[in-house]
Amino acid sequence: MTRARRSRVVVCRDDGGYSILEAVITLPVMISLTMFVVQYALLWHGRNVAEAAAQDGLRAARSYQGTATMGQQAALDYLRQVAPKLLTSPHVQVDRTPTTVTVHVRAHVLSLLGFARLDVTETASGPVDRFVQPGTR
């Protein structure tokens, strides 16, 4: 009986290094995909912050006593307070006419990928608040 048992022993082979090869191939791919997802999230958040800055600048510039300079300063202050490292080199342009105000915000988004240079541009516009005497239009 001992000979029968010995002949039925299954020899286990090792994987021959295939698991290391799989790790060498799949880990860089998974890390790259994760970096792309995180970069997309940073871009999305940067667009939202730039849009909020443009709206903040619009509120300041369209007020009754507001000026284009006040709108520009409000948008830049918002960017510095909310996302000082996410959005770099911000540029805010405010165009104020007697009836409308338009605020353009442009900035570079922090890049996790060395080869990508991503920018966000957002615009907000609205009418100027103005005082109208009762009975006149």
Side-chain angles (χ1 to χ4, degrees), residues 14-68:
D14 73 20
D15 62 4
Y18 285 113
S19 63
I20 293 174
L21 181 62
E22 288 174 358
V24 166
I25 293 172
T26 58
L27 282 178
V29 171
M30 294 303 293
I31 290 171
S32 297
L33 288 176
T34 303
M35 294 289 278
F36 278 112
V37 169
V38 171
Q39 183 66 62
Y40 178 77
L42 288 174
L43 181 63
W44 179 79
H45 181 59
R47 287 188 64 205
N48 287 332
V49 170
E51 180 181 12
Q55 290 173 355
D56 202 43
L58 176 65
R59 274 190 292 279
R62 74 184 282 206
S63 66
Y64 177 63
Q65 296 290 332
T67 64

Side-chain angles (χ1 to χ4, degrees), residues 4 26 43 46 61 91 93 106 119 126:
T26 58
L43 181 63
H91 177 72
Q93 178 183 350
R106 186 179 71 240
D119 294 335

Side-chain angles (χ1 to χ4, degrees), residues 38-106:
V38 171
Q39 183 66 62
Y40 178 77
L42 288 174
L43 181 63
W44 179 79
H45 181 59
R47 287 188 64 205
N48 287 332
V49 170
E51 180 181 12
Q55 290 173 355
D56 202 43
L58 176 65
R59 274 190 292 279
R62 74 184 282 206
S63 66
Y64 177 63
Q65 296 290 332
T67 64
T69 305
M70 289 172 59
Q72 182 179 23
Q73 191 61 43
L76 287 172
D77 288 344
Y78 185 87
L79 290 174
R80 284 188 199 111
Q81 289 174 3
V82 174
K85 298 192 189 235
L86 175 65
L87 297 177
T88 58
S89 303
H91 177 72
V92 177
Q93 178 183 350
V94 179
D95 299 320
R96 181 180 164 126
T97 66
T99 56
T100 61
V101 175
T102 304
V103 180
H104 302 280
V105 175
R106 186 179 71 240

